[in-house]
Amino acid sequence: MFGGQILVKRGGRDEPEKPFWISFSDLMVALMVLFLFVMSVALLSVTKTVTEAERRQAEYEQDIADLLKDFSNAARQTTGVSVDIKKRTIEFGDKARFDTGSSVLRPDQARELRAFTPRVLEVADSPKAKRWLKRIVVEGYTDRRGTYLLNLNLSLQRSQRVLCALLDKKLLPDEVPLSDHQKGLIHRLFLVGGYSFNSARPSFDESRRIELRLDFYGINESPETAPEAPTDYGTCMI
């Protein structure tokens, strides 16, 4: 009477309902993806940290190598003075050789040390050295003759004699005295050390010497606060 019938299609009674919860396999896949994502982020973070540490180490080693090269260039300007890159020492050869049982430098030796030291101080006052150079140790040595304690005292006196020569107020007429700034650098950086007959050389003459050892801060160390320089350095009594 009203035209065609309207048919409503219904699912069969036996058709199962679709589950609302995610399946166990899908859940495991999602957890695995999340795990891989977290691990990737963690690995990238670790890799970045290692890369940064390696970069800082490479820069540090390059800075130290540059400083040693600068000290070597300064040493080449004086005949007989050299730098041992491996030991990080400045060696003076005959320019700082002592007589047996003596800690006295000849006037010509003292003069040459005073002439050479400003070149060392110029490098030590550079920005890179201010960051990494910790100290310059004046190391005194003796030959193997005599007792250990006797030579220990003698080697220390030889180191002290170098500083006495550098800060001596009585200069030769044609010498230029160190400036207050240069004296302040010596006060801050130079340290005396006696080593008796340790590191003896093949001959007695070669063993009676002094060396300057260059000590540098470690990669994670910070420069120490500079001590206030004295207004009067006094006079050596040895």
Side-chain angles (χ1 to χ4, degrees), residues 174-212:
D174 59 341
E175 288 189 277
V176 178
L178 295 176
S179 67
D180 290 339
H181 179 67
Q182 290 173 321
K183 291 179 181 178
L185 287 174
I186 291 176
H187 173 258
R188 178 171 65 87
L189 292 173
F190 281 55
L191 182 72
V192 297
Y195 291 85
S196 190
F197 45 68
N198 295 323
S199 299
R201 296 291 176 84
S203 70
F204 287 154
D205 287 343
E206 292 175 326
S207 298
R208 299 190 301 270
R209 70 194 190 279
I210 61 101
E211 297 174 353
L212 300 183

Side-chain angles (χ1 to χ4, degrees), residues 83-109:
V83 173
D84 188 316
I85 299 296
K86 185 176 181 180
K87 293 169 56 181
R88 298 179 177 180
T89 56
I90 300 176
E91 302 180 356
F92 295 93
D94 293 334
K95 296 185 182 300
R97 198 85 73 206
F98 294 88
D99 293 333
T100 302
S102 172
S103 62
V104 177
L105 287 167
R106 299 191 310 270
D108 62 306
Q109 292 176 318

Side-chain angles (χ1 to χ4, degrees), residues 42-138:
L43 287 174
L44 285 174
S45 177
V46 172
T47 302
K48 182 179 179 180
T49 301
V50 172
T51 302
E52 177 66 16
E54 290 175 344
R55 182 190 64 79
R56 289 184 61 214
Q57 182 67 31
E59 290 180 351
Y60 170 76
E61 292 176 356
Q62 185 60 54
D63 284 348
I64 301 302
D66 290 344
L67 284 172
L68 290 171
K69 182 179 179 180
D70 291 341
F71 281 113
S72 295
N73 291 335
R76 290 193 191 98
Q77 299 178 45
T78 303
T79 304
V81 180
S82 62
V83 173
D84 188 316
I85 299 296
K86 185 176 181 180
K87 293 169 56 181
R88 298 179 177 180
T89 56
I90 300 176
E91 302 180 356
F92 295 93
D94 293 334
K95 296 185 182 300
R97 198 85 73 206
F98 294 88
D99 293 333
T100 302
S102 172
S103 62
V104 177
L105 287 167
R106 299 191 310 270
D108 62 306
Q109 292 176 318
R111 177 176 180 167
E112 291 195 54
L113 286 176
R114 286 193 293 265
F116 170 72
T117 299
R119 300 190 180 105
V120 174
L121 297 179
E122 183 179 359
V123 177
D125 202 29
S126 65
K128 193 172 292 186
K130 289 178 180 178
R131 173 64 186 92
W132 297 118
L133 183 61
K134 189 173 187 178
R135 64 175 64 94
I136 299 175
V137 184
V138 185

